[in-house]
Structure formats: structure tokens, C-alpha cells
Amino acid sequence: MSIEEGSSEASPLLARNGDFLPRPNDRKSEVSGLAAMCFSSFFFSVMAIFVKYSAQTFPSMEIVFIRSIIQFVLAVTMCRYFQVPIFGERGLRWALFIRGLFGAVGLAMNYYALTQLYLADATVLFFISPVLTAVLARIFLKEPYGMFESIACLLCTIGLLLIGKPSFLFGQNIPDSTDIDAEKRLWATGASLLGATMSSISVVMLRQMGKTAHFMTHVVYFGGSSILFSGFFTFFITTSSSIPNNFISWAVLLVIGVTAFIGQSMQNKGVQLAPAGPIMLMRNFDIVFAFTFGILLFNEVPDGVSIIGTLLIIGGTLTMGVGKWFGFSKPVDNSRHS
């Protein structure tokens, strides 16, 4: 019996009395999930712009802490509005907390990398998470991972590398990259890779839980876990902190919190409706939106290599969409290699 049918022999990642509620697998639900992820990418891209701006004034953990408070308050408010349990069912609470903690660590590591690395390097490193998610979903959720998924992952990975132009592949001739201390770059690179891994685990756990908990409840736990994690570092580990002292600072942090809340809500809803692999590949549109904002707001016209990378990402996403829509994706048969 497959996971989609509610088998008790599903992944060991989560268990709720040995039972899982069924998740929708029809194409309409998948399209709705992919659309939700597209909106999520837009709001996360807006958030990233303000994170990079605010990093000039506030440490990364403090940004995460304030964002998490805003997100938590908004999530609790929306749970009351939707009349859903704020903390979910008793049998799910530890799983929700653990899932939120993985996401919180991933978020914190990503913010740290964004403030320490050249933006392209941090982005391309963190966005290996779609590939990790697809692999983990295949291992733990037994979701299909066939030819279309493999082609899409390959195209998106190459596209991300072309857009990001990480210095470990393209050398040091990258703007704003030569002035970064080698040791600092090493730590930030490790943080970004750790963040991508934590984010992938979080998404796979969310996908496995399906609709056993309202998507807004997941946001509550994500915000709460982030408050605990980032608050510990802000008050007990970080040596420097800065209290917002003017309207612009508060406004920037408020925008980060609100856009993060909307983006997280859309992501959780999307993950509940569509398979983990293509859902996370849709997050690659963060980069497409980032390039668009760069051109419109900062007059940053991408070079030819970056344009090719963008087209590869779009092509990979379309490949995945076509495969899913027409039902071409089949599980990879690993028996021949065993």
C-alpha cells in the first residue's frame, strides 16, 4: 500500500498512531499547489531584498528573531480567524515542533549566508534544496522520481550555477566577492549548505504530514520555533545587537515579517497539495523574480550567462510540469542496481 493510501508502513520520519490522512493527488490540486508556490516565491523574493538592506544595520539572527515574532503573531491571529486549533492535535504537536525547528535552523543559516556572502553565491548554494528535497521524498515518501524529474533537476541545477556564478567554480573574478575573507566565506558556505539540508528535511516532513494539520498551524510552529532558536542566539550568543530606533527601520522589519508570513503560508499550502520535488523546484522562481526586481529597481541588467541560466530554470520547471500534467513521471526502478 502506498503512502498516498495512508499506509502505516510509510516513512519513519513521522508517525501519528501509525496512521496518515490521505492527501489529494489529482492534477487540479497539484496545479493549485504549484501556483501557491509561485506566489510564495514572489513574496520571499521581496523579503530577500529587505533582508539584504536591513543586514547593514541588524545582525542576521536579530532579523530572524523579529521576523519570527511578527510571523507568529499573524499566524495565531489567522488560526483564530479560520477557527482551527492553534497548536494542532495533541498527537501531532511534537512532530510539528520538530518540523518547525528544522525550518527555523534552515532560515537562520540562509539569513546568515545572505549577510556574509555575495548574494549570488548564497542563493545558488541554498537552492540545492530542491534537489535534496526530491531525493529525500523519493527515499522516505516513495514519491516518483523518474526521467522528467531527473532532467528538470539537471536543468535547474545548471541554471542556478550559471546565474549564481559561485566563486568555487568561476574563480574570483566576481563583483563583491574578492573582498570576503576566505575563512568567513568558508563558514558562510557551510551555513548555507546546512540551511538547504534543514529546509529540505522540513519540507519532506510537511509533505508527509499532508493535511493532518492546517497549513496555518505549521506557520505557528515555524514562527514559534524560530523565536526560540533565534532568540537564544540573539540574547545569549550574539555579542552585538541593534534596537530599531526610527520609523524606516521598523517599517523594513515589518515588511520582512509580513512578506515572510505570506510566503511561508503559501509554501505550506502548496506543499500540502503537490509532490515535494516539483514543489521545491517551483521555488527556483525566487531567482527569476530577483533578477526582475534587480532590473526594475536597481538597473542591474543580467549578462548572457545569467540569461541562459534563467532560461534553463524555466525550461526545467516546464519539463517537470509537463511530466506531471500528462502523467509521464514514473518511479525509478532501483531493483536493477541492487
Side-chain angles (χ1 to χ4, degrees), residues 24 42 57 85 138 169 189 238 323:
F42 173 78
T57 306
R138 171 58 184 161
L169 289 180
T189 298
T238 305

Side-chain angles (χ1 to χ4, degrees), residues 118-178:
Y118 181 53
L119 182 60
D121 283 4
T123 302
V124 72
L125 286 170
F126 186 77
F127 269 82
I128 68 168
S129 57
V131 177
L132 294 175
T133 300
V135 172
L136 290 174
R138 171 58 184 161
I139 295 173
F140 293 106
L141 304 185
K142 308 304 180 185
E143 289 190 354
Y145 190 99
M147 179 182 67
F148 279 84
E149 285 80 7
S150 299
I151 294 175
C153 284
L154 177 61
L155 291 176
C156 288
T157 300
I158 296 175
L160 287 168
L161 292 174
L162 293 178
I163 289 177
K165 304 182 187 66
S167 58
F168 56 82
L169 289 180
F170 289 83
Q172 296 294 327
N173 297 321
I174 306 174
D176 298 328
S177 67
T178 57

